[in-house]
Amino acid sequence: MDLYEYQGKQFFARFGIPVSRGEAVTTVDDAVAAAERIADYPVVVKAQVQVGGRGKAGGIKLADTADEVRTHASNILGMDIKGHTVEVVWIEQASDIAEEYYASFTLDRSAKKHLGMLSAQGGVEIEAVAEENPDAIAKIHVDPVDGLTEEATRQWVAAAQLNPQATGGAVDILQKLYNAYVDGDADLVEINPLILKPTGEVHALDAKVTLDGNSMFRHPDYETYEATQVRDEREQAAHEKGLQYVGLDGFVGVIANGAGLAMSTVDIVNQVGGEPANFLDIGGGASAEVMAGALEVINNDPKVRSIFINIFGGITKGEEVANGIVTALGRVQIDVPIVIRLDGTNADLGREILEPHLSDSLQMQPTMVDAARKVVELAGAGNQGGPR
Ligand code: GDP
Ligand code: MN
C-alpha cells in the first residue's frame, strides 16, 4: 500500500519523527482556511499524488498570504502530474532550509537484511545520485534480529558526511525511521529531503511510505490507507473479487495458483517471446467462482489476445480444479483462446475432465514451456528460442 505524502507524515509523526504542521484539503476554500489556522506564513501548498517530481511539475508552491494560497490551491487542485490528477492538497507551515539530505530504509532481499541509505545530496532523485555519484550514498545493512544500534547509526551518519551540525538530529531521526519501518511493517520509508534548518534542527520535509498490505491484521487502522489506494480499473475489479492481481502492459493473460507459480508463469511467457498482461494469483483453491472471477477480469482487458491458465494441484486436487475451470467457462463468455497446463495431485483425473471440452480456442499442453509457447503463438507473437 502506497501512502500519500500527508499520510506518510502522519505515519512518521506517530513514531516521533519531526514533520511540519499541516492539513490535507480538497477544496480551495478549505486550503485557505487551513492556511489561516496554521497562521504562520509562509505556508507550502503541496499536490498529493503518488509520484515524484511534484516540485518540478509545479505542484509545490510557497504562499506568503491567504490570497497566494487561494491562487496556488486553485492552480494545483485538478492539475495533472504525470497522469495523476491532483484531488488533495496538503497545506503545511513552510520550513527554512539550510541543507537537503536523503534517507531511506528498504529490504535488500539478496542480502537478507534491511538496507538503509543516507546521502548528503538530497532533494534530487536518488536514482540520479546513484548514477552520477554513487559514493555520495552511504549504505548500511541492518540484521533484522540485531536491529539498528545507536553506535551503528552514528558511524553511518559519519560515513554520509552530513554537516556536523546535523549529526545529533540525523541519528535520532534515523533510529525513529528504522522503528517506523520495522514496527509499522513498511516495505519502504523514504525522506527526501531530510532537511537541516538554519537553526540546527533536522526535519522530514517529504514522506514516501509503502506499507505491507499483508500486515493489516496487526494494524486495523491501516484500513484508512487501504481506502485511498490508487488502482487502475483492472486492479480495482480484481481487488473487489479478492484476487491478487497486478496489471502489466503485455497481451497474454496469466492465471496461476500460488504467487510463486504466477511469477514463474510471467517469466516463462516473457522467455518465449510473449508479454504478460498481468500477474494473477488465484490462491490455493481454484473454485469455479474464483476462476470465473479471474477470467472476467482478464477478459475485460482489451489488450489480452490469449490466456494462460497454469495450475499445479496440491491440496486442491486436479479434478476439483478441472471442474472449476469447466464451470467457470460455462459462466463467462471468453473472446480469446485459452491454453491450460494442469499438473500436480490427480492431474490425470483433471485432464480427463477437461478433455471433452477442448477445441481450437481451449487447448491443453503437457508442460509449462509447451503451454507458454502455445499461448504466445495463439496471441500471434513469439520466437523460436527460449527455454528448452
Ligand atoms: P517532490 O518534488 O515530489 O519530491 O516534493 P518535495 O516535498 O520533496 O518538495 C520538493 C522541493 O520543494 C524540496 O526539495 C524543497 O526544495 C522544496 N520545498 C518543499 N517544502 C518546502 C518548504 O517548506 N520550504 C522551502 N523553502 N522549500 C520547500
Ligand atoms: Mn521529495
Side-chain angles (χ1 to χ4, degrees), residues 14-340:
R14 282 201 252 160
F15 293 90
I17 296 170
V19 293
S20 310
R21 228 157 32 99
E23 288 183 40
V25 296
T26 57
T27 67
V28 175
D29 285 342
D30 286 348
V32 174
E36 291 288 296
R37 272 191 292 273
I38 292 167
D40 212 355
Y41 287 96
V43 298
V44 201
V45 183
K46 304 186 80 174
Q48 298 299 291
V49 282
Q50 290 173 353
V51 60
R54 293 168 300 162
K56 272 188 213 155
I60 295 179
K61 296 281 181 200
L62 283 165
D64 284 313
T65 62
D67 273 347
E68 283 183 25
V69 172
R70 184 168 293 283
T71 307
H72 294 317
S74 56
N75 287 338
I76 292 173
L77 280 166
M79 179 185 272
D80 180 283
I81 299 181
K82 299 180 187 167
H84 299 247
T85 307
V86 181
E87 279 159 13
V88 177
V89 288
W90 169 250
I91 312 293
E92 77 174 21
Q93 188 177 0
S95 306
D96 287 333
I97 303 175
E99 295 190 5
E100 299 191 70
Y101 308 135
Y102 172 95
S104 69
F105 285 102
T106 185
L107 181 66
D108 182 342
R109 285 170 201 280
S110 50
K112 298 184 182 140
K113 288 187 175 149
H114 299 306
L115 172 67
M117 290 198 279
L118 179 65
S119 177
Q121 297 187 12
V124 293
E125 278 174 33
I126 195 65
E127 289 81 4
V129 180
E131 184 121 320
E132 288 154 27
N133 202 354
D135 292 343
I137 303 175
K139 296 184 180 173
I140 186 172
H141 276 103
V142 185
D143 188 305
V145 177
D146 303 340
L148 180 64
T149 63
E150 188 179 330
E151 181 48 33
T153 313
R154 283 198 180 278
Q155 286 173 13
W156 178 31
V157 170
Q161 298 184 311
L162 309 186
N163 186 320
Q165 251 201 308
T167 304
V171 168
D172 182 55
I173 289 188
L174 289 168
Q175 293 209 274
K176 287 171 175 162
L177 187 62
Y178 182 76
N179 290 343
Y181 169 73
V182 173
D183 296 342
D185 284 304
D187 291 329
L188 167 76
V189 290
E190 184 186 83
I191 306 177
N192 187 22
L194 175 71
I195 58 162
L196 171 65
K197 297 187 186 180
T199 49
E201 296 148 273
V202 181
H203 185 97
L205 206 63
D206 193 6
K208 187 170 171 187
V209 175
T210 304
L211 298 173
D212 179 354
N214 291 317
S215 75
M216 294 262 287
F217 71 98
R218 275 202 283 267
H219 310 281
D221 53 311
Y222 286 3
E223 264 322 315
T224 55
Y225 301 141
E226 171 61 31
T228 56
Q229 281 311 288
V230 184
R231 295 193 174 90
D232 74 21
E233 251 174 64
R234 299 174 302 173
E235 289 177 345
Q236 187 59 34
H239 180 74
E240 281 164 13
K241 291 177 168 33
L243 302 166
Q244 298 295 322
Y245 177 98
V246 180
L248 303 169
D249 295 330
F251 49 83
V252 175
V254 170
I255 299 175
N257 65 333
L261 185 62
M263 243 176 262
S264 312
T265 310
V266 164
D267 282 348
I268 204 158
V269 165
N270 266 315
Q271 282 173 13
V272 300
E275 286 172 36
N278 66 282
F279 164 101
L280 201 168
D281 167 18
I282 57 169
S287 68
E289 195 188 341
V290 172
M291 185 59 77
L295 283 168
E296 262 170 28
V297 168
I298 289 185
N299 201 46
N300 285 339
D301 183 344
K303 289 206 291 276
V304 168
R305 305 207 297 258
S306 62
I307 300 173
F308 186 175
I309 302 180
N310 191 5
I311 304 289
F312 198 92
I315 293 168
T316 312
K317 299 190 187 72
E319 68 269 33
E320 295 167 37
V321 174
N323 282 325
I325 295 174
V326 170
T327 310
L329 288 172
R331 282 196 211 159
V332 191
Q333 172 64 41
I334 306 294
D335 312 322
V336 298
I338 299 175
V339 179
I340 302 170

